[in-house]
Amino acid sequence: MGTVVLGTGSCLPGRVLTNVELESIVDTSADWIKSRTGIESRHIGGKGEKTYQLAAQAAQKALEAAGVSAEELGLIVLGTISSHMLMPSSACFVQNELGAKNAFAYDLNAACSGFLYGLDLADKYIQADHSMKVLVIGAETLSSRLNWQDRNTCILFGDGAGAAVCGYSDSDRGLIGSNMRSDGSLGELLRMHAPESFNPDLIVEGNPGAYIQMEGREVFKHAVRAMEDAVFGLLEREKISKESLSLVIPHQANMRILNKLIARLDIPQSKVFINVSKYGNTSAASIPIALDEANSSGLIAKGDTVLFCSFGGGFTWGATLIKW
Ligand code: ACO
């Protein structure tokens, strides 16, 4: 008995940027990108495309799949670090776009963990009020927040959105538990400054502009270790064996992180959903896009135990278990 996902949806911008095209933008090679990251292409927002528009399209599909109307939504939580405006939130833009006039809406900044943090929130609201329907979205146009001269970062990320409509079920299905974590002491390793202050007294020293900066090797090490800890901690707490997992949907950071994680978890790769080669790292959107692809291609059946895990800037990380 608990919080179930009633429907999923996703949306990718139409423009595809390949590794070969990146060769003419920065000093890199298609082979280097593929061998070091497993990424072959990513989707990039077209002219004027905004995070909330991708989010609203993913949400519309999730509502249709769930058979839930926009008016039935009580809450919209949108994980993102790439809104086109700081205020209003992208979640409020989505609310307006959908006509979800009975919902309250806000953005959640947990970088790549935004969707799992959002699911955790949705679960708490739904447990407190069983009639509540919550729309959880992860959406990004990270291409607007990259330094396209920095080959360490610009090759890794992509744009997109994924959404899930959650509600209560009195069956034996539902969200089993989640294990959400943060460590602000390591924030410097993966960061994005805000736009510069207009108050000269509040100018932040060393602010190069509002784009992603990263110490790649350090992030790599922490990401693998943190997701491993979160997963094993959660499985142990919920007394669930890894053998009983039907599917694992990890944050799609890059293939080398995923390979290391799979080895540490000692789970067959056939049980791990991977689509990073097509989309790159779409941050908060990566898990809900993967979830929608797995769900719509029939890889998840009712009663399956599905494990999610994420890691991102903050640092933020976590794991979630759902009996589907
Ligand atoms: N093309 C060609 N060469 C490159 C590129 C590029 N795009 N980027 C870096 N290099 C060069 C470096 O300059 C360096 O050259 P040097 O030896 O002459 O100094 C060489 O390649 C090796 O650089 P490293 O940074 O050591 O390469 P590494 O093997 O660690 O791979 C990578 C870099 C892919 C970024 C890796 O560190 C990684 O996967 N880190 C995790 C980062 C990540 O996924 N972050 C996403 C956000 S967090 C998350 O979602 C979990």
Side-chain angles (χ1 to χ4, degrees), residues 112 116 227 231 247-255 257-259 261-262 265 271-276 283 285-291 306-311 318:
C112 306
L116 289 194
M227 284 192 278
V231 166
L247 189 67
V248 180
I249 303 184
H251 168 50
Q252 310 287 313
N254 69 57
M255 204 52 227
I257 289 183
L258 290 172
N259 281 338
L261 180 67
I262 291 165
L265 297 180
K271 283 193 173 183
V272 182
F273 189 84
I274 296 170
N275 62 8
V276 68
S283 189
S286 105
I287 289 181
I289 291 171
L291 170 61
V306 184
L307 170 75
F308 302 85
C309 59
S310 69
F311 181 85

PDB file of all heavy atoms in Angstrom, residues 112 116 227 231 247-255 257-259 261-262 265 271-276 283 285-291 306-311 318:
ATOM      1  N   CYS A 112      21.494  16.400 -10.431  1.00  0.00           N
ATOM      2  CA  CYS A 112      21.086  15.142 -11.083  1.00  0.00           C
ATOM      3  C   CYS A 112      20.177  14.293 -10.198  1.00  0.00           C
ATOM      4  O   CYS A 112      19.579  13.327 -10.670  1.00  0.00           O
ATOM      5  CB  CYS A 112      22.309  14.332 -11.490  1.00  0.00           C
ATOM      6  SG  CYS A 112      23.451  15.284 -12.490  1.00  0.00           S
ATOM      7  N   LEU A 116      14.716  12.039  -8.090  1.00  0.00           N
ATOM      8  CA  LEU A 116      14.551  11.128  -6.942  1.00  0.00           C
ATOM      9  C   LEU A 116      14.178  11.885  -5.674  1.00  0.00           C
ATOM     10  O   LEU A 116      13.356  11.419  -4.882  1.00  0.00           O
ATOM     11  CB  LEU A 116      15.813  10.292  -6.708  1.00  0.00           C
ATOM     12  CG  LEU A 116      16.110   9.206  -7.724  1.00  0.00           C
ATOM     13  CD1 LEU A 116      17.165   8.244  -7.184  1.00  0.00           C
ATOM     14  CD2 LEU A 116      14.872   8.430  -8.136  1.00  0.00           C
ATOM     15  N   MET A 227      26.743   6.213  -4.809  1.00  0.00           N
ATOM     16  CA  MET A 227      25.567   5.447  -5.278  1.00  0.00           C
ATOM     17  C   MET A 227      25.608   4.024  -4.730  1.00  0.00           C
ATOM     18  O   MET A 227      24.580   3.477  -4.329  1.00  0.00           O
ATOM     19  CB  MET A 227      25.489   5.457  -6.809  1.00  0.00           C
ATOM     20  CG  MET A 227      24.978   6.793  -7.335  1.00  0.00           C
ATOM     21  SD  MET A 227      24.549   6.766  -9.088  1.00  0.00           S
ATOM     22  CE  MET A 227      26.155   6.989  -9.827  1.00  0.00           C
ATOM     23  N   VAL A 231      22.629   2.539  -2.364  1.00  0.00           N
ATOM     24  CA  VAL A 231      21.883   1.341  -2.776  1.00  0.00           C
ATOM     25  C   VAL A 231      21.967   0.260  -1.701  1.00  0.00           C
ATOM     26  O   VAL A 231      20.939  -0.272  -1.255  1.00  0.00           O
ATOM     27  CB  VAL A 231      22.423   0.804  -4.129  1.00  0.00           C
ATOM     28  CG1 VAL A 231      21.916  -0.610  -4.397  1.00  0.00           C
ATOM     29  CG2 VAL A 231      22.035   1.743  -5.257  1.00  0.00           C
ATOM     30  N   LEU A 247      14.667  -4.593 -12.093  1.00  0.00           N
ATOM     31  CA  LEU A 247      15.312  -3.633 -12.978  1.00  0.00           C
ATOM     32  C   LEU A 247      15.970  -2.536 -12.140  1.00  0.00           C
ATOM     33  O   LEU A 247      15.421  -2.114 -11.118  1.00  0.00           O
ATOM     34  CB  LEU A 247      14.275  -2.996 -13.918  1.00  0.00           C
ATOM     35  CG  LEU A 247      14.812  -2.128 -15.053  1.00  0.00           C
ATOM     36  CD1 LEU A 247      15.588  -2.963 -16.082  1.00  0.00           C
ATOM     37  CD2 LEU A 247      13.681  -1.381 -15.766  1.00  0.00           C
ATOM     38  N   VAL A 248      17.143  -2.089 -12.600  1.00  0.00           N
ATOM     39  CA  VAL A 248      17.825  -0.963 -11.955  1.00  0.00           C
ATOM     40  C   VAL A 248      17.861   0.184 -12.969  1.00  0.00           C
ATOM     41  O   VAL A 248      18.266  -0.008 -14.118  1.00  0.00           O
ATOM     42  CB  VAL A 248      19.266  -1.348 -11.549  1.00  0.00           C
ATOM     43  CG1 VAL A 248      19.964  -0.166 -10.882  1.00  0.00           C
ATOM     44  CG2 VAL A 248      19.254  -2.566 -10.630  1.00  0.00           C
ATOM     45  N   ILE A 249      17.415   1.356 -12.533  1.00  0.00           N
ATOM     46  CA  ILE A 249      17.451   2.539 -13.416  1.00  0.00           C
ATOM     47  C   ILE A 249      18.342   3.582 -12.741  1.00  0.00           C
ATOM     48  O   ILE A 249      17.902   4.330 -11.875  1.00  0.00           O
ATOM     49  CB  ILE A 249      16.039   3.092 -13.693  1.00  0.00           C
ATOM     50  CG1 ILE A 249      15.163   1.997 -14.308  1.00  0.00           C
ATOM     51  CG2 ILE A 249      16.127   4.316 -14.609  1.00  0.00           C
ATOM     52  CD1 ILE A 249      13.770   2.439 -14.719  1.00  0.00           C
ATOM     53  N   PRO A 250      19.626   3.606 -13.134  1.00  0.00           N
ATOM     54  CA  PRO A 250      20.539   4.571 -12.512  1.00  0.00           C
ATOM     55  C   PRO A 250      20.538   5.890 -13.281  1.00  0.00           C
ATOM     56  O   PRO A 250      20.156   5.935 -14.453  1.00  0.00           O
ATOM     57  CB  PRO A 250      21.897   3.880 -12.653  1.00  0.00           C
ATOM     58  CG  PRO A 250      21.773   3.025 -13.870  1.00  0.00           C
ATOM     59  CD  PRO A 250      20.320   2.713 -14.082  1.00  0.00           C
ATOM     60  N   HIS A 251      21.020   6.942 -12.609  1.00  0.00           N
ATOM     61  CA  HIS A 251      21.297   8.199 -13.302  1.00  0.00           C
ATOM     62  C   HIS A 251      22.276   7.926 -14.436  1.00  0.00           C
ATOM     63  O   HIS A 251      23.294   7.252 -14.244  1.00  0.00           O
ATOM     64  CB  HIS A 251      21.887   9.194 -12.304  1.00  0.00           C
ATOM     65  CG  HIS A 251      22.470  10.402 -12.943  1.00  0.00           C
ATOM     66  ND1 HIS A 251      21.775  11.141 -13.880  1.00  0.00           N
ATOM     67  CD2 HIS A 251      23.685  11.002 -12.816  1.00  0.00           C
ATOM     68  CE1 HIS A 251      22.539  12.140 -14.285  1.00  0.00           C
ATOM     69  NE2 HIS A 251      23.697  12.080 -13.657  1.00  0.00           N
ATOM     70  N   GLN A 252      21.966   8.431 -15.614  1.00  0.00           N
ATOM     71  CA  GLN A 252      22.783   8.158 -16.807  1.00  0.00           C
ATOM     72  C   GLN A 252      23.886   9.206 -16.906  1.00  0.00           C
ATOM     73  O   GLN A 252      23.788  10.170 -17.687  1.00  0.00           O
ATOM     74  CB  GLN A 252      21.900   8.178 -18.060  1.00  0.00           C
ATOM     75  CG  GLN A 252      20.635   7.324 -17.964  1.00  0.00           C
ATOM     76  CD  GLN A 252      20.915   5.831 -18.045  1.00  0.00           C
ATOM     77  OE1 GLN A 252      21.664   5.386 -18.921  1.00  0.00           O
ATOM     78  NE2 GLN A 252      20.319   5.049 -17.154  1.00  0.00           N
ATOM     79  N   ALA A 253      24.924   9.063 -16.088  1.00  0.00           N
ATOM     80  CA  ALA A 253      26.000  10.065 -16.058  1.00  0.00           C
ATOM     81  C   ALA A 253      26.954   9.830 -17.222  1.00  0.00           C
ATOM     82  O   ALA A 253      27.097  10.677 -18.093  1.00  0.00           O
ATOM     83  CB  ALA A 253      26.751   9.985 -14.741  1.00  0.00           C
ATOM     84  N   ASN A 254      27.594   8.706 -17.208  1.00  0.00           N
ATOM     85  CA  ASN A 254      28.371   8.266 -18.372  1.00  0.00           C
ATOM     86  C   ASN A 254      28.696   6.784 -18.196  1.00  0.00           C
ATOM     87  O   ASN A 254      28.564   6.231 -17.109  1.00  0.00           O
ATOM     88  CB  ASN A 254      29.612   9.143 -18.620  1.00  0.00           C
ATOM     89  CG  ASN A 254      30.676   8.977 -17.572  1.00  0.00           C
ATOM     90  OD1 ASN A 254      31.156   7.871 -17.346  1.00  0.00           O
ATOM     91  ND2 ASN A 254      31.055  10.074 -16.933  1.00  0.00           N
ATOM     92  N   MET A 255      29.077   6.142 -19.281  1.00  0.00           N
ATOM     93  CA  MET A 255      29.151   4.676 -19.302  1.00  0.00           C
ATOM     94  C   MET A 255      30.210   4.150 -18.348  1.00  0.00           C
ATOM     95  O   MET A 255      30.035   3.083 -17.745  1.00  0.00           O
ATOM     96  CB  MET A 255      29.452   4.225 -20.739  1.00  0.00           C
ATOM     97  CG  MET A 255      29.015   2.822 -21.043  1.00  0.00           C
ATOM     98  SD  MET A 255      27.289   2.503 -20.623  1.00  0.00           S
ATOM     99  CE  MET A 255      27.426   0.971 -19.748  1.00  0.00           C
ATOM    100  N   ILE A 257      31.145   5.453 -15.447  1.00  0.00           N
ATOM    101  CA  ILE A 257      30.577   5.474 -14.088  1.00  0.00           C
ATOM    102  C   ILE A 257      29.600   4.309 -13.943  1.00  0.00           C
ATOM    103  O   ILE A 257      29.604   3.581 -12.946  1.00  0.00           O
ATOM    104  CB  ILE A 257      29.864   6.820 -13.799  1.00  0.00           C
ATOM    105  CG1 ILE A 257      30.891   7.938 -13.656  1.00  0.00           C
ATOM    106  CG2 ILE A 257      28.985   6.724 -12.552  1.00  0.00           C
ATOM    107  CD1 ILE A 257      30.319   9.299 -13.290  1.00  0.00           C
ATOM    108  N   LEU A 258      28.776   4.102 -14.966  1.00  0.00           N
ATOM    109  CA  LEU A 258      27.777   3.023 -14.895  1.00  0.00           C
ATOM    110  C   LEU A 258      28.456   1.659 -14.810  1.00  0.00           C
ATOM    111  O   LEU A 258      28.050   0.808 -14.016  1.00  0.00           O
ATOM    112  CB  LEU A 258      26.833   3.087 -16.098  1.00  0.00           C
ATOM    113  CG  LEU A 258      25.873   4.286 -16.106  1.00  0.00           C
ATOM    114  CD1 LEU A 258      25.109   4.365 -17.429  1.00  0.00           C
ATOM    115  CD2 LEU A 258      24.883   4.189 -14.952  1.00  0.00           C
ATOM    116  N   ASN A 259      29.507   1.457 -15.603  1.00  0.00           N
ATOM    117  CA  ASN A 259      30.198   0.156 -15.569  1.00  0.00           C
ATOM    118  C   ASN A 259      30.800  -0.126 -14.201  1.00  0.00           C
ATOM    119  O   ASN A 259      30.700  -1.233 -13.676  1.00  0.00           O
ATOM    120  CB  ASN A 259      31.312   0.107 -16.629  1.00  0.00           C
ATOM    121  CG  ASN A 259      30.754  -0.164 -18.016  1.00  0.00           C
ATOM    122  OD1 ASN A 259      29.642  -0.705 -18.148  1.00  0.00           O
ATOM    123  ND2 ASN A 259      31.478   0.232 -19.037  1.00  0.00           N
ATOM    124  N   LEU A 261      29.816   1.160 -11.385  1.00  0.00           N
ATOM    125  CA  LEU A 261      28.721   0.967 -10.434  1.00  0.00           C
ATOM    126  C   LEU A 261      28.150  -0.448 -10.544  1.00  0.00           C
ATOM    127  O   LEU A 261      27.934  -1.134  -9.536  1.00  0.00           O
ATOM    128  CB  LEU A 261      27.622   2.006 -10.695  1.00  0.00           C
ATOM    129  CG  LEU A 261      26.406   1.933  -9.766  1.00  0.00           C
ATOM    130  CD1 LEU A 261      26.793   2.296  -8.333  1.00  0.00           C
ATOM    131  CD2 LEU A 261      25.292   2.868 -10.250  1.00  0.00           C
ATOM    132  N   ILE A 262      27.962  -0.897 -11.781  1.00  0.00           N
ATOM    133  CA  ILE A 262      27.415  -2.245 -11.996  1.00  0.00           C
ATOM    134  C   ILE A 262      28.352  -3.290 -11.388  1.00  0.00           C
ATOM    135  O   ILE A 262      27.920  -4.241 -10.736  1.00  0.00           O
ATOM    136  CB  ILE A 262      27.187  -2.495 -13.514  1.00  0.00           C
ATOM    137  CG1 ILE A 262      26.055  -1.614 -14.022  1.00  0.00           C
ATOM    138  CG2 ILE A 262      26.885  -3.969 -13.792  1.00  0.00           C
ATOM    139  CD1 ILE A 262      25.967  -1.500 -15.535  1.00  0.00           C
ATOM    140  N   LEU A 265      28.055  -3.117  -7.562  1.00  0.00           N
ATOM    141  CA  LEU A 265      26.780  -3.662  -7.077  1.00  0.00           C
ATOM    142  C   LEU A 265      26.701  -5.160  -7.346  1.00  0.00           C
ATOM    143  O   LEU A 265      25.907  -5.868  -6.735  1.00  0.00           O
ATOM    144  CB  LEU A 265      25.586  -2.965  -7.746  1.00  0.00           C
ATOM    145  CG  LEU A 265      25.421  -1.455  -7.472  1.00  0.00           C
ATOM    146  CD1 LEU A 265      24.183  -0.917  -8.201  1.00  0.00           C
ATOM    147  CD2 LEU A 265      25.312  -1.155  -5.983  1.00  0.00           C
ATOM    148  N   LYS A 271      20.097  -6.371 -16.229  1.00  0.00           N
ATOM    149  CA  LYS A 271      19.051  -5.829 -15.350  1.00  0.00           C
ATOM    150  C   LYS A 271      19.166  -4.317 -15.176  1.00  0.00           C
ATOM    151  O   LYS A 271      18.431  -3.723 -14.399  1.00  0.00           O
ATOM    152  CB  LYS A 271      19.138  -6.487 -13.968  1.00  0.00           C
ATOM    153  CG  LYS A 271      18.571  -7.889 -13.914  1.00  0.00           C
ATOM    154  CD  LYS A 271      18.409  -8.298 -12.463  1.00  0.00           C
ATOM    155  CE  LYS A 271      17.684  -9.628 -12.352  1.00  0.00           C
ATOM    156  NZ  LYS A 271      17.468  -9.995 -10.957  1.00  0.00           N
ATOM    157  N   VAL A 272      20.137  -3.710 -15.857  1.00  0.00           N
ATOM    158  CA  VAL A 272      20.360  -2.270 -15.677  1.00  0.00           C
ATOM    159  C   VAL A 272      19.958  -1.540 -16.951  1.00  0.00           C
ATOM    160  O   VAL A 272      20.444  -1.859 -18.044  1.00  0.00           O
ATOM    161  CB  VAL A 272      21.844  -1.990 -15.338  1.00  0.00           C
ATOM    162  CG1 VAL A 272      22.061  -0.506 -15.098  1.00  0.00           C
ATOM    163  CG2 VAL A 272      22.269  -2.802 -14.113  1.00  0.00           C
ATOM    164  N   PHE A 273      19.070  -0.570 -16.822  1.00  0.00           N
ATOM    165  CA  PHE A 273      18.602   0.162 -18.004  1.00  0.00           C
ATOM    166  C   PHE A 273      19.603   1.271 -18.333  1.00  0.00           C
ATOM    167  O   PHE A 273      19.905   2.121 -17.499  1.00  0.00           O
ATOM    168  CB  PHE A 273      17.214   0.762 -17.765  1.00  0.00           C
ATOM    169  CG  PHE A 273      16.630   1.328 -19.030  1.00  0.00           C
ATOM    170  CD1 PHE A 273      15.961   0.512 -19.930  1.00  0.00           C
ATOM    171  CD2 PHE A 273      16.791   2.674 -19.341  1.00  0.00           C
ATOM    172  CE1 PHE A 273      15.451   1.021 -21.118  1.00  0.00           C
ATOM    173  CE2 PHE A 273      16.282   3.194 -20.525  1.00  0.00           C
ATOM    174  CZ  PHE A 273      15.601   2.362 -21.411  1.00  0.00           C
ATOM    175  N   ILE A 274      20.078   1.277 -19.574  1.00  0.00           N
ATOM    176  CA  ILE A 274      21.099   2.252 -19.982  1.00  0.00           C
ATOM    177  C   ILE A 274      20.720   2.875 -21.330  1.00  0.00           C
ATOM    178  O   ILE A 274      20.460   2.158 -22.293  1.00  0.00           O
ATOM    179  CB  ILE A 274      22.478   1.559 -20.099  1.00  0.00           C
ATOM    180  CG1 ILE A 274      22.922   1.040 -18.718  1.00  0.00           C
ATOM    181  CG2 ILE A 274      23.525   2.529 -20.646  1.00  0.00           C
ATOM    182  CD1 ILE A 274      24.139   0.146 -18.747  1.00  0.00           C
ATOM    183  N   ASN A 275      20.663   4.201 -21.375  1.00  0.00           N
ATOM    184  CA  ASN A 275      20.411   4.878 -22.651  1.00  0.00           C
ATOM    185  C   ASN A 275      21.341   6.084 -22.851  1.00  0.00           C
ATOM    186  O   ASN A 275      21.070   6.953 -23.677  1.00  0.00           O
ATOM    187  CB  ASN A 275      18.944   5.305 -22.763  1.00  0.00           C
ATOM    188  CG  ASN A 275      18.540   6.310 -21.693  1.00  0.00           C
ATOM    189  OD1 ASN A 275      19.383   6.802 -20.957  1.00  0.00           O
ATOM    190  ND2 ASN A 275      17.255   6.620 -21.620  1.00  0.00           N
ATOM    191  N   VAL A 276      22.427   6.127 -22.048  1.00  0.00           N
ATOM    192  CA  VAL A 276      23.299   7.302 -22.039  1.00  0.00           C
ATOM    193  C   VAL A 276      23.937   7.572 -23.401  1.00  0.00           C
ATOM    194  O   VAL A 276      24.246   8.714 -23.741  1.00  0.00           O
ATOM    195  CB  VAL A 276      24.384   7.164 -20.934  1.00  0.00           C
ATOM    196  CG1 VAL A 276      25.384   6.066 -21.248  1.00  0.00           C
ATOM    197  CG2 VAL A 276      25.078   8.489 -20.673  1.00  0.00           C
ATOM    198  N   SER A 283      21.120  15.277 -16.518  1.00  0.00           N
ATOM    199  CA  SER A 283      20.976  15.706 -15.124  1.00  0.00           C
ATOM    200  C   SER A 283      19.629  15.248 -14.539  1.00  0.00           C
ATOM    201  O   SER A 283      19.325  14.062 -14.574  1.00  0.00           O
ATOM    202  CB  SER A 283      21.165  17.221 -15.031  1.00  0.00           C
ATOM    203  OG  SER A 283      21.243  17.636 -13.688  1.00  0.00           O
ATOM    204  N   ALA A 285      16.798  15.174 -15.597  1.00  0.00           N
ATOM    205  CA  ALA A 285      15.884  14.512 -16.539  1.00  0.00           C
ATOM    206  C   ALA A 285      16.299  13.079 -16.828  1.00  0.00           C
ATOM    207  O   ALA A 285      15.517  12.303 -17.394  1.00  0.00           O
ATOM    208  CB  ALA A 285      15.827  15.303 -17.841  1.00  0.00           C
ATOM    209  N   SER A 286      17.512  12.689 -16.429  1.00  0.00           N
ATOM    210  CA  SER A 286      18.028  11.407 -16.926  1.00  0.00           C
ATOM    211  C   SER A 286      17.242  10.205 -16.401  1.00  0.00           C
ATOM    212  O   SER A 286      16.888   9.302 -17.160  1.00  0.00           O
ATOM    213  CB  SER A 286      19.527  11.298 -16.635  1.00  0.00           C
ATOM    214  OG  SER A 286      19.838  10.440 -15.588  1.00  0.00           O
ATOM    215  N   ILE A 287      16.929  10.187 -15.105  1.00  0.00           N
ATOM    216  CA  ILE A 287      16.181   9.034 -14.561  1.00  0.00           C
ATOM    217  C   ILE A 287      14.748   8.994 -15.096  1.00  0.00           C
ATOM    218  O   ILE A 287      14.287   7.932 -15.541  1.00  0.00           O
ATOM    219  CB  ILE A 287      16.247   9.012 -13.019  1.00  0.00           C
ATOM    220  CG1 ILE A 287      17.670   8.620 -12.583  1.00  0.00           C
ATOM    221  CG2 ILE A 287      15.222   8.025 -12.438  1.00  0.00           C
ATOM    222  CD1 ILE A 287      17.880   8.525 -11.086  1.00  0.00           C
ATOM    223  N   PRO A 288      13.998  10.106 -15.093  1.00  0.00           N
ATOM    224  CA  PRO A 288      12.624   9.978 -15.614  1.00  0.00           C
ATOM    225  C   PRO A 288      12.544   9.689 -17.117  1.00  0.00           C
ATOM    226  O   PRO A 288      11.593   9.047 -17.559  1.00  0.00           O
ATOM    227  CB  PRO A 288      11.975  11.323 -15.260  1.00  0.00           C
ATOM    228  CG  PRO A 288      13.091  12.272 -15.043  1.00  0.00           C
ATOM    229  CD  PRO A 288      14.227  11.442 -14.497  1.00  0.00           C
ATOM    230  N   ILE A 289      13.532  10.130 -17.898  1.00  0.00           N
ATOM    231  CA  ILE A 289      13.539   9.748 -19.324  1.00  0.00           C
ATOM    232  C   ILE A 289      13.768   8.239 -19.430  1.00  0.00           C
ATOM    233  O   ILE A 289      13.067   7.530 -20.164  1.00  0.00           O
ATOM    234  CB  ILE A 289      14.621  10.520 -20.118  1.00  0.00           C
ATOM    235  CG1 ILE A 289      14.272  12.007 -20.227  1.00  0.00           C
ATOM    236  CG2 ILE A 289      14.791   9.918 -21.516  1.00  0.00           C
ATOM    237  CD1 ILE A 289      15.393  12.875 -20.811  1.00  0.00           C
ATOM    238  N   ALA A 290      14.745   7.745 -18.669  1.00  0.00           N
ATOM    239  CA  ALA A 290      15.039   6.298 -18.703  1.00  0.00           C
ATOM    240  C   ALA A 290      13.832   5.504 -18.206  1.00  0.00           C
ATOM    241  O   ALA A 290      13.471   4.468 -18.773  1.00  0.00           O
ATOM    242  CB  ALA A 290      16.275   6.001 -17.853  1.00  0.00           C
ATOM    243  N   LEU A 291      13.203   6.005 -17.142  1.00  0.00           N
ATOM    244  CA  LEU A 291      12.026   5.315 -16.603  1.00  0.00           C
ATOM    245  C   LEU A 291      10.925   5.236 -17.662  1.00  0.00           C
ATOM    246  O   LEU A 291      10.307   4.186 -17.866  1.00  0.00           O
ATOM    247  CB  LEU A 291      11.511   6.060 -15.357  1.00  0.00           C
ATOM    248  CG  LEU A 291      10.153   5.603 -14.818  1.00  0.00           C
ATOM    249  CD1 LEU A 291      10.190   4.135 -14.396  1.00  0.00           C
ATOM    250  CD2 LEU A 291       9.713   6.481 -13.637  1.00  0.00           C
ATOM    251  N   VAL A 306      11.718  -2.267  -8.632  1.00  0.00           N
ATOM    252  CA  VAL A 306      12.587  -1.407  -9.443  1.00  0.00           C
ATOM    253  C   VAL A 306      13.424  -0.527  -8.513  1.00  0.00           C
ATOM    254  O   VAL A 306      12.897   0.071  -7.574  1.00  0.00           O
ATOM    255  CB  VAL A 306      11.756  -0.519 -10.404  1.00  0.00           C
ATOM    256  CG1 VAL A 306      12.674   0.286 -11.315  1.00  0.00           C
ATOM    257  CG2 VAL A 306      10.792  -1.365 -11.231  1.00  0.00           C
ATOM    258  N   LEU A 307      14.719  -0.485  -8.797  1.00  0.00           N
ATOM    259  CA  LEU A 307      15.651   0.319  -7.996  1.00  0.00           C
ATOM    260  C   LEU A 307      16.153   1.498  -8.830  1.00  0.00           C
ATOM    261  O   LEU A 307      16.503   1.326  -9.997  1.00  0.00           O
ATOM    262  CB  LEU A 307      16.846  -0.546  -7.579  1.00  0.00           C
ATOM    263  CG  LEU A 307      18.018   0.181  -6.940  1.00  0.00           C
ATOM    264  CD1 LEU A 307      17.701   0.586  -5.499  1.00  0.00           C
ATOM    265  CD2 LEU A 307      19.277  -0.685  -6.967  1.00  0.00           C
ATOM    266  N   PHE A 308      16.170   2.675  -8.217  1.00  0.00           N
ATOM    267  CA  PHE A 308      16.728   3.870  -8.863  1.00  0.00           C
ATOM    268  C   PHE A 308      17.909   4.361  -8.022  1.00  0.00           C
ATOM    269  O   PHE A 308      17.874   4.252  -6.787  1.00  0.00           O
ATOM    270  CB  PHE A 308      15.692   5.002  -8.894  1.00  0.00           C
ATOM    271  CG  PHE A 308      14.412   4.649  -9.603  1.00  0.00           C
ATOM    272  CD1 PHE A 308      13.386   3.989  -8.924  1.00  0.00           C
ATOM    273  CD2 PHE A 308      14.224   4.981 -10.933  1.00  0.00           C
ATOM    274  CE1 PHE A 308      12.209   3.669  -9.571  1.00  0.00           C
ATOM    275  CE2 PHE A 308      13.047   4.664 -11.582  1.00  0.00           C
ATOM    276  CZ  PHE A 308      12.032   4.002 -10.897  1.00  0.00           C
ATOM    277  N   CYS A 309      18.931   4.947  -8.679  1.00  0.00           N
ATOM    278  CA  CYS A 309      19.966   5.620  -7.889  1.00  0.00           C
ATOM    279  C   CYS A 309      20.532   6.792  -8.677  1.00  0.00           C
ATOM    280  O   CYS A 309      20.541   6.783  -9.913  1.00  0.00           O
ATOM    281  CB  CYS A 309      21.068   4.650  -7.460  1.00  0.00           C
ATOM    282  SG  CYS A 309      21.924   3.841  -8.797  1.00  0.00           S
ATOM    283  N   SER A 310      20.954   7.818  -7.924  1.00  0.00           N
ATOM    284  CA  SER A 310      21.404   9.043  -8.595  1.00  0.00           C
ATOM    285  C   SER A 310      22.571   9.660  -7.832  1.00  0.00           C
ATOM    286  O   SER A 310      22.798   9.364  -6.653  1.00  0.00           O
ATOM    287  CB  SER A 310      20.267  10.061  -8.657  1.00  0.00           C
ATOM    288  OG  SER A 310      19.993  10.534  -7.361  1.00  0.00           O
ATOM    289  N   PHE A 311      23.271  10.549  -8.534  1.00  0.00           N
ATOM    290  CA  PHE A 311      24.352  11.324  -7.906  1.00  0.00           C
ATOM    291  C   PHE A 311      24.498  12.631  -8.675  1.00  0.00           C
ATOM    292  O   PHE A 311      24.432  12.631  -9.904  1.00  0.00           O
ATOM    293  CB  PHE A 311      25.686  10.562  -7.978  1.00  0.00           C
ATOM    294  CG  PHE A 311      26.815  11.306  -7.332  1.00  0.00           C
ATOM    295  CD1 PHE A 311      27.041  11.197  -5.970  1.00  0.00           C
ATOM    296  CD2 PHE A 311      27.629  12.162  -8.083  1.00  0.00           C
ATOM    297  CE1 PHE A 311      28.066  11.907  -5.364  1.00  0.00           C
ATOM    298  CE2 PHE A 311      28.665  12.870  -7.481  1.00  0.00           C
ATOM    299  CZ  PHE A 311      28.879  12.738  -6.116  1.00  0.00           C
ATOM    300  N   GLY A 318      21.278   9.453  -3.897  1.00  0.00           N
ATOM    301  CA  GLY A 318      20.261   8.666  -3.215  1.00  0.00           C
ATOM    302  C   GLY A 318      19.845   7.449  -4.009  1.00  0.00           C
ATOM    303  O   GLY A 318      20.308   7.212  -5.133  1.00  0.00           O
TER     304      GLY A 318
END
